[in-house]
Amino acid sequence: KSLMTVLTRAVLLAAIAAALPNNTSQAISPADVRTQLEDLADSAVFPEDTGGGISSVVLRAFTSSTTYTPTSGMAYALVIATGGGASGRGLSGSSGGRPGGGAGETTFKLVTAADIGASKAVTIGAGGTGSTSGGAAGGTTSLGSLLTAAGGSTSGGSTGGTGGTGGTGATLAIKGGSGGGSVAGASGMAGEGGASFWGGGGAGFDTSSTSQDGRAGQAYGSGGGGGGGATQNGGNGAAGVIFIIEFIA
């Protein structure tokens, strides 16, 4: 049978009602039924009509540097990358609080199987390590040369570290959150770590009653909190991450 003209839902239903009544007179033949089914098939949209369908979705998560090899049948994928968070600043031999570190940037890119090829290197940006001196920046996260996400930074003085920005290859980029500022002196306040796309950083706290190391960043790519009191370490920044959502044909 040659292909029929594609029918709308309303026209197709009307044609079926007319051609296939209740059949009380036994007048409907197998050919009548076959014709209506063929019209239905001609009016439907099948996977081959749209270049192939998606049979499943696979989520891949990378929290350490490795090699990404696509799942068999991957047609395209959404890559989400987050840079490492910076540590909070520490202090040595002085009183008061120190600022929190900035969070890593998060970038998004839709890629095809051809973009990935056989595999791509995954590099996860490390979180900055806290100490009793100035803070340490977070590292850059990348998927080969296709996509990068910048780590968060620290800053001098009482200003919180700046969130990561400037990654390459992204369709969409979200800057990391800045760390909280601090207040010096015996009744000072340490700054909290910057929040990443995934959640909050290390907490800030009142330094008037106790001396404490800064809290580590909590969510992927978040910043560490500042140290406070006397000689205390800044909190570590959290490492970055890559999530890859694969669409399997």
Side-chain angles (χ1 to χ4, degrees):
K1 172 182 178 291
S2 60
L3 290 179
M4 301 288 290
T5 302
V6 174
L7 305 176
T8 65
R9 182 187 300 273
V11 171
L12 183 60
L13 290 174
I16 291 172
L20 303 177
N22 291 333
N23 202 27
T24 54
S25 63
Q26 307 298 313
I28 299 174
S29 69
D32 294 328
V33 176
R34 184 171 60 251
T35 297
Q36 295 306 312
L37 291 175
E38 289 172 343
D39 285 346
L40 179 61
D42 289 339
S43 299
V45 177
F46 294 95
E48 60 264 30
D49 299 324
T50 58
I54 298 302
S55 63
S56 62
V57 178
V58 177
L59 176 61
R60 307 279 296 274
F62 300 91
T63 57
S64 60
S65 297
T66 183
T67 298
Y68 164 57
T69 301
T71 301
S72 178
M74 188 273 282
Y76 56 94
L78 177 62
V79 182
I80 308 171
T82 299
S87 73
R89 292 187 63 202
L91 68 168
S92 177
S94 59
S95 62
R98 291 294 183 267
E105 175 185 36
T106 297
T107 55
F108 300 76
K109 185 179 182 68
L110 188 65
V111 299
T112 65
D115 293 329
I116 299 298
S119 64
K120 281 288 182 287
V122 170
T123 301
I124 300 299
T129 301
S131 68
T132 57
S133 59
T140 297
T141 294
S142 64
L143 180 66
S145 60
L146 291 175
L147 182 66
T148 68
S153 68
T154 63
S155 66
S158 60
T159 303
T162 302
T165 187
T168 60
T171 304
L172 172 67
I174 299 176
K175 181 180 178 180
S178 296
S182 61
V183 178
S187 299
M189 178 71 72
E192 74 280 1
S196 73
F197 175 79
W198 306 104
F205 53 87
D206 183 349
T207 66
S208 61
S209 59
T210 184
S211 295
Q212 299 186 45
D213 289 338
R215 299 293 189 264
Q218 300 299 296
Y220 295 120
S222 61
T231 299
Q232 304 297 145
N233 294 307
N236 294 337
V241 69
I242 286 182
F243 288 105
I244 301 179
I245 304 171
E246 300 177 318
F247 298 89
I248 311 301

